[in-house]
Amino acid sequence: MHLDRIAIVGAGMAGLAAALSFSRLGMACDIFEEASDLVEVGAGLQMSPNASAILREFGVLEELEKVWTEPREINLVSGKSLKNLANVPAGDFARKRWNAPYGVLHRATLQSALLSAVERNPLCTIRLGTPIRGTLPHSVREITGTAYPLVIGADGVWSNARASVMDAPQPDFSRNIAWRFTIPLDEAPVWLARDCVTAFMGPSTHLVAYPLKETGAFNIVAIASGISPGATWEAQANESQRSMLINQFAGWHPEIITLLGRSERPTFWPLHEVTPGRWHNGRDVVLIGDAAHAMMPFSAQGAAMAIEDGFVLANEVKKATSLPAALASFESLRVSRAAKVKARGSFNRFAYHARGPFRIGRDIVLSLRPPQSLAADLDWLYGYRVN
Ligand SMILES: Cc1cc2nc3c(=O)[nH]c(=O)nc-3n(C[C@H](O)[C@H](O)[C@H](O)COP(=O)(O)OP(=O)(O)OC[C@H]3O[C@@H](n4cnc5c(N)ncnc54)[C@H](O)[C@@H]3O)c2cc1C
């Protein structure tokens, strides 16, 4: 079916990807974004081939490839001994195996490439500084006077759009904090691989580091338990929070403790998931991205899932004969995909944070797995294509 004009609440990865997906099928979109400026919130993102294949469809991949970093491998390293345990090949291998590249980049680089594509597109409009509160679809109709047949709630983990969907998911603090800091490339220790993503795994905590060409620095994220500062994306850690971070890495290799000590004012993001729930109201409102299925970053897939959502939703609307049918098939396709990705994240969490005998067992099992076999485990995730 064809919809003349769709409303999208939120201009994060999910909202911008949805706008580009609907407009490529000839359907116009009005985006409403609360922020008056899309500032540099967040840090690095890993874009796996399942998402980069969609970015190619949007016509933004080529410009991103010029600025992003394409890691040669994803390395899994013991945080206690710095011993390399396993590698998943990326680089040219990813391009051949999954027919699309694996890149790492700053979130702002991706968001501004998507935003420019939206702004260039005659079928899309974007209104910044326009928070949407109240019941949908009435609240967006009041702004433009348009009776939208479909409103997409792409307004993130603390979504307001959820209030218009009965039994919608609710945010749930995971009791984990992602601490983030950067180290200039020329000051980084030699054991940080310059051309790889490295996940250091240790008891109850893990740390991921990768170089970002655009910023000339290593993006470093440490994940450990902690308390939430409330509904915020990122906050500056004070001195006592910083010591708390370092304490959580007690028993790790001294080089890593030294690295953490160099993080002057790390930012911290409380990690929220959402509870299971309905993603649409059966008529005219649907949730996508973190609003529907915020997940832990253990598989580095939250933004990738948000991008896939927009693409699948547009396709399902185009194929269906009615909106209720399109929303039902979207939900059923995406609930199972998101559940599988979350389950993989939970497995990674167990493996990354393993303690005692589990850690020793993990190290042995991983060191016996050849890179090709670790890559084959990811075919369902990275090789996924939307029909
Ligand atoms: C530490 C960490 C590392 C991560 N690493 C990766 C990674 O490597 N790869 C990956 O794929 N994902 C990663 N993610 C996940 C990813 O960042 C998120 O899943 C993704 O950004 C969600 O996109 P979204 O568009 O759904 O939500 P958001 O990015 O939160 O966007 C929501 C937008 O809606 C706007 N908004 C909110 N309320 C309103 C309102 N009432 N009216 C209008 N606008 C509103 C907001 O201002 C915002 O612009 C990571 C997450 C964390 C925390």
Side-chain angles (χ1 to χ4, degrees):
M1 66 186 295
H2 177 85
L3 302 178
D4 283 340
R5 190 164 283 277
I6 290 152
I8 299 173
V9 181
M13 303 309 156
L16 294 171
L20 294 172
S21 303
F22 275 94
S23 57
R24 79 185 258 288
L25 300 179
M27 295 182 244
C29 301
D30 293 335
I31 310 175
F32 303 86
E33 165 60 47
E34 171 172 64
S36 47
D37 195 10
L38 293 178
V39 287
E40 295 212 357
V41 176
L45 275 183
Q46 303 181 48
M47 274 290 105
S48 50
N50 48 315
S52 64
I54 298 177
L55 298 177
R56 186 190 283 141
E57 297 291 327
F58 293 159
V60 298
L61 183 61
E62 213 176 304
E63 66 180 282
L64 292 175
E65 285 175 311
K66 288 186 192 137
V67 290
W68 79 7
T69 306
E70 224 167 294
R72 186 171 49 80
E73 286 173 343
I74 321 295
N75 296 332
L76 303 178
V77 172
S78 161
K80 262 180 161 336
S81 63
L82 296 191
K83 186 173 161 237
N84 189 76
L85 298 173
N87 314 303
V88 180
D92 287 344
F93 175 93
R95 286 178 175 271
K96 283 196 198 101
R97 186 169 188 108
W98 299 299
N99 297 315
Y102 195 113
V104 294
L105 73 176
H106 197 281
R107 187 175 180 275
T109 307
L110 177 57
Q111 194 172 23
S112 63
L114 294 173
L115 179 64
S116 310
V118 160
E119 285 171 339
R120 285 193 302 266
N121 192 316
L123 286 177
C124 300
T125 71
I126 179 158
R127 286 177 160 75
L128 296 175
T130 312
I132 303 298
R133 315 260 181 251
T135 314
L136 295 170
H138 312 293
S139 41
V140 283
R141 184 181 186 157
E142 271 171 17
I143 296 176
T144 59
T146 306
Y148 296 99
L150 179 64
V151 182
I152 301 174
D155 51 350
V157 68
W158 297 289
S159 165
N160 274 297
R162 281 196 197 111
S164 302
V165 174
M166 207 193 282
D167 299 325
Q170 296 302 319
D172 190 18
F173 177 53
S174 69
R175 293 179 187 75
N176 277 269
I177 301 283
W179 303 80
R180 181 236 164 189
F181 60 98
T182 57
I183 298 273
L185 288 177
D186 51 5
E187 293 172 22
V190 286
W191 48 270
L192 273 182
R194 266 46 182 184
D195 55 353
C196 295
V197 172
T198 308
F200 297 91
M201 307 181 293
S204 308
T205 42
H206 82 278
L207 185 140
V208 178
Y210 49 84
L212 292 181
K213 215 162 51 188
E214 317 122 272
T215 61
F218 264 94
N219 178 72
I220 303 182
V221 179
I223 305 222
S225 55
I227 51 166
S228 170
T232 169
W233 251 104
E234 57 176 359
Q236 201 85 51
N238 59 31
E239 207 38 52
S240 80
Q241 287 162 329
R242 191 167 155 272
S243 335
M244 191 171 89
L245 164 69
I246 294 172
N247 288 342
Q248 300 217 31
F249 283 79
W252 278 57
H253 195 282
E255 289 277 10
I256 294 203
I257 313 272
T258 308
L259 183 74
L260 292 169
R262 288 175 59 192
S263 62
E264 281 183 7
R265 297 288 303 261
T267 53
F268 65 102
W269 300 347
L271 295 177
H272 287 79
E273 299 180 277
V274 295
T275 57
R278 297 307 308 271
W279 294 3
H280 64 86
N281 67 355
R283 284 186 316 278
D284 49 13
V285 179
V286 61
L287 305 174
I288 65 170
D290 275 10
H293 50 63
M295 55 181 74
M296 299 287 282
F298 287 90
S299 300
Q301 282 294 315
M305 289 302 112
I307 292 169
E308 283 186 10
D309 279 352
F311 208 75
V312 174
L313 179 60
N315 277 7
E316 291 309 301
V317 167
K318 184 79 182 170
K319 281 194 278 184
T321 49
S322 75
L323 254 182
L327 298 182
S329 72
F330 166 76
E331 190 183 66
S332 106
L333 287 170
R334 298 306 295 165
V335 164
S336 55
R337 172 90 170 146
K340 214 170 158 193
V341 174
K342 274 193 184 188
R344 170 78 195 196
S346 307
F347 170 76
N348 286 354
R349 179 186 198 158
F350 170 75
Y352 285 10
H353 290 188
R355 302 171 66 92
F358 289 114
R359 181 174 58 78
I360 296 164
R362 172 202 69 194
D363 292 0
I364 295 169
V365 170
L366 273 179
S367 57
L368 293 173
R369 296 280 313 268
Q372 299 274 348
S373 117
L374 289 170
D377 278 359
L378 294 163
D379 285 346
W380 66 273
L381 181 57
Y382 297 165
Y384 176 86
R385 292 295 177 273
V386 179
N387 299 312

